[in-house]
Amino acid sequence: MIKEHTMSKEPQAGRPKEQVVQLYQSGKRIHPKLAKGRFANWRIAAILATQFVFYVLPWFNWSGRQAVLFDIPERHFYIFGLSLGMGDLIYLAGLLIISAFGLFWWTTIAGRLWCGYACPQTVYTEIMLWIDHFVEGDRNKRLKLDKEPWNARKIRIKATKYLLIFVVCAWTGITFAGWFTPIREFVPAVFALSAGGGALFAAAFYGFMTFLFAHIMREQVCKYMCPYARFQSAMFDHDTLVISYDEERGEPRGARKKTASREDTHLGDCINCTMCVQVCPVGIDIRDGLQYECIGCAACIDACDEIMDKMDYPRGLIRYTTESALKHEYSEKDIKKRLLRPRVLGYGAVLFAAVAALLFGIVTRETLHVDIIKDRGVMVRENNQGWLENAYNLRIINASEKEQVLDAKVSGFDEITLTGLPEGGITVPGNETITVPVQVSTIPEYADKGSHPIEFEFSYRYADDNEAPRTLTEKASFIGE
Ligand code: SF4
Ligand code: SF4
């Protein structure tokens, strides 16, 4: 068991209280009611947008190949016009760092907006809930069905539901694999039962994990497994946007007739209908204060707004607000002004610098790399001119999609020659690595025993381009007599 700080309703909304939380509890199935309203619509839009990217983008082509492909067997990554080899992994690492800082920055401003609208766990859980709702009906029908003994009707309904879930999970797994292997070849191979190897394993594994996390363990993942839920409180401050119940306005809660005036009942605006609890996908009561299980999905806002409309009360008993606004340190209208606070500006500055560095790195990156590998079989030898000769292998990596032509010269002694290069330079096809053996020679007087520094200078250009060549220098050593 661990102790967690959560926000309590006692004595004021937003104040942390110490609470004992089980590290794990065996899951009680939660059947949330589907919420309807403006935030539910935003979530549907976010799901459609993210899933359009996930399911459709791998099918797009760019310059005759898959537009976005992380081709692990070939150790090459394509992102539209950008072609990255293993030597460019630093850019992918940079992208991950930027994503992490983006999440920190966004969390400081708007709390768990990512969890509520775009996190894959939320998105696939929501899709599974849509299937539940579509096949089994709304919350009450699902609860009733679960309690029913097994009979032909129940078997038929459950079989239909699991068939649909299987199709969604299988297609999700196949699409996931299609980000790492050419999808236009992989999908027909799957249907022809001829796909195999790592791609098929990745598809089966990802599909199964989607089923496990989004259907079987849907509430458990956010509550017990997600590390972000645990450390996000470190990024929160009193001005972070969170979903809160306005206790001052809502309490004392209680049922009343729609026609009853507040003065007569001496009650707050909460009619204790529990709709906010019934729609909650993690099964918590937002009226108990901000809790770490809350994924910020805003379903409770939609549910409560609907009740407020029916009661002719103003909306917003549950709303996006900040802890400071709830304590009347500033008005709700001034929440936007609190955006420009030091923590947000600090994260924003780091994020901006990281994005600028990544873009600069990508724009100025070398499209050709050369490794000079000394031929260990030939330390030094005498050529037919009587000069000392060392042998090298030039490993040339073309990190662009276009053919490039490379020329080279060498310096380090007053008299030094480079042989082995083909006439007109070395042609390196796009996205390929070739190895070319070359020899460097000098007159024996210049190279006495031991190692001498020399330098290769390469100039290279695109084969179909008349622009001035780029240059690249690499250090090497020449072994003397
Ligand atoms: S939905 Fe609103 S009125 Fe109903 S219990 Fe929740 S907070 Fe109270
Ligand atoms: S408390 Fe509200 S915002 Fe939080 S998870 Fe439940 S329904 Fe979503």
Side-chain angles (χ1 to χ4, degrees):
M1 294 208 292
I2 56 163
K3 285 182 175 178
E4 285 279 344
H5 287 285
T6 68
M7 300 298 181
S8 151
K9 66 172 185 169
E10 292 174 32
Q12 286 172 313
R15 179 170 295 182
K17 79 170 179 183
E18 212 166 62
Q19 194 185 45
V20 177
V21 177
Q22 300 279 352
L23 262 182
Y24 182 79
Q25 287 172 324
S26 64
K28 187 169 125 255
R29 197 48 153 177
I30 296 169
H31 285 294
K33 204 172 167 60
L34 271 195
K36 289 187 191 124
R38 56 200 164 128
F39 295 110
N41 292 343
W42 275 113
R43 195 167 41 262
I44 291 171
I47 290 172
L48 293 179
T50 52
Q51 295 321 289
F52 178 82
V53 171
F54 177 73
Y55 289 111
V56 181
L57 196 58
W59 293 93
F60 283 1
N61 270 4
W62 182 275
S63 300
R65 48 121 178 114
Q66 192 165 319
V68 180
L69 177 65
F70 301 100
D71 195 340
I72 289 176
E74 293 295 324
R75 297 179 188 177
H76 219 97
F77 308 130
Y78 304 95
I79 306 168
F80 294 97
L82 197 62
S83 165
L84 303 173
M86 290 310 276
D88 299 311
L89 275 184
I90 181 95
Y91 299 115
L92 286 183
L95 207 59
L96 288 179
I97 291 169
I98 286 170
S99 305
F101 265 107
L103 196 58
F104 295 165
W105 184 65
W106 194 239
T107 303
T108 306
I109 296 173
R112 296 186 72 173
L113 223 51
W114 160 261
C115 300
Y117 295 87
C119 170
Q121 175 63 25
T122 308
V123 166
Y124 290 107
T125 298
E126 186 83 4
I127 292 172
M128 297 296 158
L129 287 175
W130 289 346
I131 295 175
D132 277 4
H133 186 85
F134 175 68
V135 180
E136 296 184 352
D138 201 0
R139 183 171 187 267
N140 292 340
K141 286 189 180 161
R142 301 205 299 271
L143 287 169
K144 201 168 151 222
L145 186 72
D146 274 7
K147 283 186 194 143
E148 258 179 41
W150 284 98
N151 53 39
R153 182 181 153 273
K154 185 167 174 174
I155 291 170
R156 180 177 48 76
I157 293 174
K158 292 283 178 189
T160 310
K161 180 175 96 169
Y162 280 103
L163 181 67
L164 276 176
I165 288 176
F166 172 79
V167 170
V168 169
C169 292
W171 194 247
T172 304
I174 288 170
T175 305
F176 174 78
W179 283 74
F180 300 94
T181 195
I183 198 164
R184 287 168 187 250
E185 294 161 28
F186 181 61
V187 170
V190 170
F191 284 107
L193 303 180
S194 59
L200 192 64
F201 175 77
F205 182 75
Y206 196 81
F208 175 71
M209 293 315 275
T210 305
F211 172 68
L212 188 68
F213 283 1
H215 181 67
I216 302 287
M217 299 170 64
R218 61 190 178 207
E219 309 87 14
Q220 317 287 349
V221 173
C222 295
K223 274 189 181 178
Y224 302 110
M225 293 169 69
C226 177
Y228 177 57
R230 304 274 162 185
F231 70 72
Q232 40 116 12
S233 58
M235 285 166 259
F236 275 42
D237 58 27
H238 293 198
D239 298 314
T240 299
L241 215 53
V242 286
I243 292 173
S244 294
Y245 165 70
D246 188 341
E247 190 181 327
E248 219 174 276
R249 188 184 137 189
E251 300 296 317
R253 66 186 74 159
R256 82 282 319 253
K257 284 196 176 126
K258 193 181 169 221
T259 48
S261 77
R262 288 184 222 186
E263 290 72 34
D264 292 346
T265 58
H266 303 291
L267 292 171
D269 281 356
C270 175
I271 65 166
N272 208 14
C273 63
T274 72
M275 289 307 288
C276 51
V277 183
Q278 291 183 39
V279 294
C280 179
V282 291
I284 58 171
D285 187 341
I286 189 72
R287 295 172 300 168
D288 291 342
L290 181 61
Q291 295 146 70
Y292 79 97
E293 296 99 326
C294 172
I295 58 167
C297 69
C300 51
I301 301 184
D302 280 334
C304 191
D305 279 350
E306 204 179 327
I307 299 297
M308 294 295 106
D309 289 349
K310 282 183 187 155
M311 297 297 293
D312 275 339
Y313 293 169
R315 287 182 164 198
L317 178 57
I318 301 173
R319 63 180 180 273
Y320 280 106
T321 184
T322 68
E323 198 184 329
S324 296
L326 274 179
K327 288 180 182 166
H328 306 294
E329 286 170 18
Y330 48 76
S331 80
E332 302 267 337
K333 283 190 201 132
D334 289 336
I335 288 176
K336 276 190 198 149
K337 291 186 191 156
R338 299 298 303 161
L339 274 182
L340 297 178
R341 55 191 192 274
R343 191 191 282 224
V344 174
L345 293 175
Y347 281 139
V350 173
L351 187 61
F352 179 78
V355 171
L358 181 73
L359 289 178
F360 179 78
I362 287 175
V363 169
T364 58
R365 88 190 170 102
E366 300 286 0
T367 55
L368 192 129
H369 310 277
V370 184
D371 294 331
I372 299 166
I373 304 157
K374 184 95 177 65
D375 187 338
R376 295 286 163 201
V378 185
M379 291 306 278
V380 58
R381 66 187 169 210
E382 195 177 298
N383 68 11
N384 49 16
Q385 279 181 287
W387 286 26
L388 294 180
E389 184 176 273
N390 279 200
Y392 303 84
N393 285 311
L394 303 182
R395 190 163 158 268
I396 308 164
I397 303 154
N398 185 351
S400 78
E401 291 189 79
K402 292 203 243 169
E403 189 175 83
Q404 301 203 67
V405 180
L406 172 127
D407 220 334
K409 56 187 182 185
V410 67
S411 60
F413 302 113
D414 286 347
E415 293 280 348
I416 188 165
T417 61
L418 174 67
T419 52
L421 289 178
E423 192 85 5
I426 305 164
T427 301
V428 193
N431 291 326
E432 285 210 7
T433 299
I434 61 168
T435 302
V436 178
V438 295
Q439 304 80 40
V440 174
S441 50
T442 186
I443 54 176
E445 290 82 71
Y446 288 133
D448 50 13
K449 211 172 172 78
S451 173
H452 302 268
I454 59 172
E455 192 169 86
F456 284 79
E457 185 183 316
F458 302 101
S459 58
Y460 62 96
R461 60 178 172 77
Y462 290 118
D464 61 356
D465 204 334
N466 289 327
E467 279 187 13
R470 290 183 177 194
T471 57
L472 172 72
T473 55
E474 288 290 334
K475 294 194 184 315
S477 57
F478 185 94
I479 306 296
E481 221 170 350

